[in-house]
Amino acid sequence: MAVMMSDESGSFDVEHLEDFDVSGILEVRADNRREVADAINQALAAALEEVGLAAEGYAKRLCPVDTGRLRNSITHVTRPDDNAVYVGTNVEYGPYVEYGTARQEAQPFLRPAATGHGDTYRAIVEARLRG
């Protein structure tokens, strides 16, 4: 059985640690819940950054190149409070390349980078959480 402990922001919630009955299993000498929650949140933030870098790399490899401007503009932003990573470009013609036009076939590079590597991203998060 899996238990997810997070609040609305997706951060690890220290208050849920009180729900676990550890009496008879171990002796509690100090309340380290805050430190544990902080360590988990730091590991998640590091995992998100690593996932962002990986996704950015996949997108850059898939991006069609003429001048290199579009490929060089691909970047990522992590939002640890939302447990999210955003990969994209600010080049105005990026959506036309990604989705195509009436005269140009779509050449997706962002969507496949985001959706085609779930196992890799999951492995990164698991590795960071294991320490």
Side-chain angles (χ1 to χ4, degrees):
M1 176 173 86
V3 177
M4 179 175 238
M5 292 184 272
S6 65
D7 60 16
E8 296 79 29
S9 72
S11 296
F12 188 78
D13 185 4
V14 71
E15 299 305 319
H16 289 285
L17 288 176
E18 294 176 348
D19 296 340
F20 293 98
D21 180 18
V22 293
S23 61
I25 298 174
L26 57 101
E27 178 184 344
V28 178
R29 294 181 185 203
D31 184 359
N32 295 321
R33 289 179 294 158
R34 176 60 45 209
E35 290 83 5
V36 169
D38 289 345
I40 291 170
N41 288 333
Q42 288 174 0
L44 283 172
L48 289 172
E49 180 62 25
E50 192 172 340
V51 166
L53 286 170
E56 182 180 321
Y58 291 133
K60 286 181 177 186
R61 275 179 264 178
L62 292 170
C63 183
V65 177
D66 185 16
T67 65
R69 179 176 177 224
L70 180 59
R71 180 183 55 198
N72 290 336
S73 73
I74 298 170
T75 190
H76 73 280
V77 174
T78 59
R79 305 269 189 219
D81 293 340
D82 298 334
N83 280 337
V85 176
Y86 301 95
V87 178
T89 176
N90 62 354
V91 170
E92 65 280 354
Y93 59 85
Y96 302 117
V97 175
E98 179 79 18
Y99 298 109
T101 67
R103 291 183 275 170
Q104 177 182 317
E105 191 173 319
Q107 300 176 71
F109 58 99
L110 293 172
R111 288 176 294 157
T115 61
H117 304 279
D119 291 339
T120 300
Y121 303 146
R122 188 175 303 106
I124 289 170
V125 172
E126 288 175 0
R128 286 291 184 160
L129 288 175
R130 285 192 181 113

